[in-house]
Amino acid sequence: MPSRFEFRRYRLPFRAPVRTAHGLWREREGLLVRVEDEAGAVGFGEAAPIPDFGTETIDVAAEACRKLGDRVDDATLATLPANLPCLRHALAAALRPETSTPAVASLGVAALLPAGRAALAQVPAKAELGFRVFKWKVGVADLADELALLDDLCAALPNGAKLRLDANGAWERRHAERWLERAADRPIEFVEQPAPPKNRDLLLGLAHDFPTPLALDESVAGNADIAQWLGDGWPGVYVLKPSLLADLSAALAQLEHAKADVVFSSALETAVGARTALQAAFAWRTAKPRALGFGVYPLFADARCDGPFAAPFLRWEDVQRLDPAATWAAVPGQ
Ligand code: MG
C-alpha cells in the first residue's frame, strides 16, 4: 500500500555565516519529507541540494514534491528522474529506514579550522578537548604565505595528530606539486580535492606521484561519479556526502566491493539528513575508520535542526538520539 506523503521546504539561518569554496552561506535551503504507512510507521528524509556539486536546485526539488501528490511508494522512487538526486535520496531514506546494526560503537570526528592564520589560534583549545584530526581549508590565500602557515600549524598540533588539507579544487598542477612536496614529510592525513573535478588526469597523476594520500570530494558528488572513479581505480580516499547521493546504498555497496577508503562528510544538512548519513557511517565496515567530516554543529540558529554537537568522538547512541520528528516540527509547514 502507498504511504501518506508530506514535505516541508525550509530556509534555515545559520548561527554564523559559513565560508565555503562557493562563497559565504548565511542560510541553508532544503526540504524534509515525511511518509506514514497504513500501520502508522513514520519515516523521514532530507533533500539538501548543493547545485554547485551538480545536484538539482531546491526549487526543482520542491516542484517535483508538489507533483508527487499525497501518496508515495517504492514505485514512486523508481519513477523519479536521475536529475533529482537529493529528492531521490530523501524519499529513499524515508521509505527504507536504515536497519543494519552498527559496525563500530564510536567514531572520531575531525575538528574544523578556519582558513588562513585564524586556524592557528584554534588548535590549542580543540586539542585540549581531545580532537586529534584537524581540517584546514587551503588554496584561499597566497601560496608562499599558506606554505609558511602550514609549518606553524604542524608545529602547533598535539603529538600524533593529523591534518587534513582541503583545496576545494583550487590548484593548478604547479601549485598542487608544491603543496604535495611539502606535505610528504609532514603529518598530513590527506589532501582533499587538490585539482578541479574535471581535471581527472591531473588528479590521477598526482595520486601516483606523491606519497601523501589524495581525497576526492567535489569529484564524487553523484552515484555516476563514484562508479567512474572506482572504474579508474582511484588509489586515494573518497569523501562521501551521503545527502547528495540519489542511491546511497548502491554507492556504499560499490565502494565496499572495491574495499574503498571512505570519509563520511556533512553537506550542512539538518539532523534529519545527518542521521541518515551517520547511520551509514556507523554501518560502514573497515579496519581503520577515518574521522567523520561532521564537526559542523551547532550550525543552525534553531538548535532543533542541528545534528550532533561537534566532539572528538561520536557514539552510536548520539546518532540514535537524533530526533527527526523534532526537526520536522521545527520547520514550518507550507
Ligand atoms: Mg571538501
Side-chain angles (χ1 to χ4, degrees):
M1 289 291 285
S3 298
R4 227 165 76 79
F5 171 76
E6 290 175 85
F7 77 99
R8 290 182 178 176
R9 182 169 174 171
Y10 65 73
R11 181 193 288 261
L12 296 167
F14 291 134
R15 297 168 83 235
V18 177
R19 189 173 297 280
T20 74
H22 310 291
L24 204 60
W25 281 18
R26 297 182 186 282
E27 58 185 16
R28 185 69 162 110
E29 283 194 275
L31 61 85
L32 303 181
V33 303
R34 179 185 185 278
V35 301
E36 182 172 348
D37 72 13
E38 292 285 292
V42 176
F44 293 94
E46 176 169 0
I50 308 181
D52 283 327
F53 272 69
T55 74
E56 73 271 44
T57 63
I58 182 58
D59 285 338
V60 166
E63 181 55 27
C65 280
R66 270 187 286 277
K67 286 189 180 143
L68 286 180
D70 60 1
R71 297 278 155 181
V72 293
D73 56 17
D74 272 358
T76 317
L77 195 51
T79 57
L80 278 181
N83 61 3
L84 294 169
C86 291
L87 182 56
R88 287 175 65 175
H89 172 88
L91 207 53
L95 287 168
R96 303 167 181 165
E98 173 72 55
T99 52
S100 52
T101 49
V104 285
S106 73
L107 286 168
V109 176
L112 287 179
L113 299 174
R117 179 160 292 277
L120 265 178
Q122 293 209 5
V123 171
K126 289 187 192 290
E128 184 69 22
L129 285 171
F131 285 101
R132 288 299 177 269
V133 178
F134 297 81
K135 176 168 172 174
W136 188 42
K137 294 264 182 200
V138 289
V140 292
D142 176 73
L143 175 71
D145 290 350
E146 277 190 341
L147 285 173
L149 260 175
L150 174 67
D151 282 341
D152 295 343
L153 209 46
C154 288
L157 293 179
N159 266 343
K162 293 260 187 185
L163 187 61
R164 292 178 178 174
L165 304 177
D166 189 354
N168 290 115
W171 296 328
E172 303 294 327
R173 174 187 296 279
R174 201 177 51 80
H175 271 61
E177 287 176 350
R178 285 279 303 279
W179 273 96
L180 289 168
E181 281 160 15
R182 194 64 79 90
D185 51 2
R186 284 167 177 74
I188 307 301
E189 183 190 13
F190 56 72
V191 178
E192 195 169 314
Q193 203 67 48
K198 61 177 177 354
N199 220 335
R200 303 177 65 85
D201 291 343
L202 176 55
L203 286 162
L204 280 164
L206 293 170
H208 285 113
D209 290 348
F210 292 91
T212 304
L214 302 188
L216 300 176
D217 178 8
E218 283 86 345
S219 280
V220 290
N223 278 85
D225 304 318
I226 293 170
Q228 197 176 357
W229 282 100
L230 285 170
D232 282 351
W234 173 247
V237 179
Y238 291 78
V239 177
L240 224 58
K241 288 178 166 53
S243 287
L244 304 187
L245 295 175
D247 194 339
L248 174 59
S249 47
L252 290 170
Q254 290 169 353
L255 289 160
E256 187 180 10
H257 181 73
K259 297 189 170 58
D261 192 349
V262 173
V263 170
F264 289 85
S265 183
S266 166
L268 304 184
E269 59 280 268
T270 74
V272 175
R275 183 164 168 268
T276 306
L278 289 167
Q279 284 173 336
F282 274 80
W284 180 251
R285 289 177 192 281
T286 176
K288 279 194 182 167
R290 291 193 184 264
L292 299 165
F294 267 89
V296 298
Y297 303 108
L299 177 65
F300 296 106
D302 184 340
R304 291 174 297 175
C305 298
D306 275 330
F309 248 57
F313 288 92
L314 199 59
R315 296 164 308 164
W316 173 238
E317 302 94 270
D318 302 326
V319 178
Q320 283 176 299
R321 205 176 293 127
L322 294 171
D323 181 5
T327 302
W328 172 261
V331 173
Q334 303 297 299

